[in-house]
Amino acid sequence: MATEYGHRTWSQFADEDDYPNVPDRQEPARRHFLPPALRAPVEARTWREFGYLLLSLPMSILTFTYAVTMISIGAGLLITFLGIPVLAAGLAGLRGLGAVERARARGLLHLDVESPEPLRQKKQGAMSWMGAVLKSGASWRHVLYALLHFPWAIFGFVVSVTFWTVGWSLFTYPLWQWVFPMYTGQDGIQLYGDETHRFYLDSPFEILVTCLIGLLITLMTPWIIRALTGVDRLMVLGLLGPSRLVTRVVELESDRGVVVDTAAADLRRIERDLHDGAQARLVTLAMDLGLAKEKLREDPQAAARMVDEAHGEVKTALQELRDLARGIHPAVLTDRGLDAALSSLAARCTVPVQVEVDLPYRPAAAIEGIAYFTVSELLQNVSKHSKARRATVDVWRSENRLMLQVMDDGIGGAGLGQGSGLSGLAERLDAVDGVLAVDSPKGGPTSITAELPWRG
């Protein structure tokens, strides 16, 4: 799904090639002869996550000790002025340790967590910086992470090391069982012993059972490790990354920028089309009518021909104005809704299109307009690039979402790659919390689904 924002207008999307004739760049998936349960113990992911759990213990000890020490000293000194800078320095240090933890999660867990929101200083200076650190919610989330992660890191370290060492030790027991009689003076691992009886795992059957038990524990260990690191992922995401509120504010600011830029681009396009099209024709028409007026007495036949030509120019100018008005907001959409407007689009498409609209009532005018122009651009792509014989348009409501689906039996190959018209369309939908999904394998068929918020 496209996430970078562009500044293209609705009329530009269909002019780009959304069906490029390029070879499929996806590498073939690696074929494994062993099922996931059997290859998990030796996979790189298991070793990386086990390394993460091993490093978590010393890192959590360092972070927990630093947090408790600095916060305790700072809180104790709050009766003096020194407590505030000590607390601020402690929180700033925890933010630095949080950056190390995010880097560790990125390298070993392949978890990419963005940095939390930066400090917002109203003024320059040490006092303003200390106030910003103390007021930042991200700083105190780092404190909470340091306090909560310490006991969890101990638990994860103990469990992972225990299962890892016991599993591999028992699984490889047939390879090193000879160490006991040679160096320790006993027959094997002592399973039970008291003053009179001792039981050793030394017979071939007992060694085989021990190996099978070790194999079972070894196969279980990767999934236990993944469950443990799953909790670590949640902690890093929830406490060391940006808050959901801040992330949502950033998204809304970006969406607002997209909406403002595209609105300005639409206004420039309308101004350009009026200046280069209808306005130029009207200026020519006025000049022709002026010449016809001068020739009316001298050469009535020439004046009549000029009036006929002017009449044709008037019709052409009116058609251009109608097309321009339809590109801004079609009258049939305002008067009769999506069903009639999409049927009108289908009638103008070069490919036979079947339209089916199943809506309980009309959505908000803005959402209705976006849905109309989305289908319009998709049908233009079908006409220009798909080489399809027929297409379908389905519109329905699913809970609080307006769903659009355009399908064709063409050559396929459409995608949301950078620079394609569909990527620009996805950006426009994203600005209103919409989603565009493309399913278009080579050779077809193509199915493009758009999802918009339902606002009645």
Side-chain angles (χ1 to χ4, degrees), residues 359-374:
L359 298 177
Y361 51 90
R362 296 177 63 174
I367 299 300
E368 202 173 48
I370 294 174
Y372 172 85
F373 286 110
T374 299

Side-chain angles (χ1 to χ4, degrees), residues 132-164:
V133 172
L134 294 173
K135 293 178 181 179
S136 173
S139 301
W140 295 103
R141 290 200 305 274
H142 282 68
V143 175
L144 186 60
Y145 175 84
L147 299 179
L148 294 179
H149 189 252
F150 176 62
W152 176 253
I154 296 176
F155 177 79
F157 180 88
V158 172
V159 172
S160 61
V161 170
T162 301
F163 274 86
W164 188 276

Side-chain angles (χ1 to χ4, degrees), residues 57 166 231 306 418-419:
L57 182 60
V166 170
V231 177
M306 297 179 69
Q418 187 66 26

Side-chain angles (χ1 to χ4, degrees), residues 30-62:
R30 181 183 298 178
R31 300 180 63 181
H32 296 281
F33 297 99
L34 294 176
L38 295 181
R39 66 174 185 266
V42 295
E43 281 186 330
R45 174 182 175 180
T46 302
W47 290 87
R48 285 189 286 101
E49 292 180 345
F50 181 59
Y52 182 89
L53 293 175
L54 293 181
L55 291 175
S56 290
L57 182 60
M59 281 298 302
S60 64
I61 293 175
L62 172 64

Side-chain angles (χ1 to χ4, degrees), residues 6 34 42 54 64 83 88 102 117 144 157 168 170 181 193 226 232 271 275 312 316 323 345 349 369 401 424:
L34 294 176
V42 295
L54 293 181
F64 180 83
R102 288 192 298 273
E117 58 273 17
L144 186 60
F157 180 88
W168 281 104
L170 296 182
R226 292 182 186 183
D232 283 278
E271 180 183 8
H275 182 271
T316 304
D323 294 339
L345 281 177
C349 186
R401 307 290 286 182

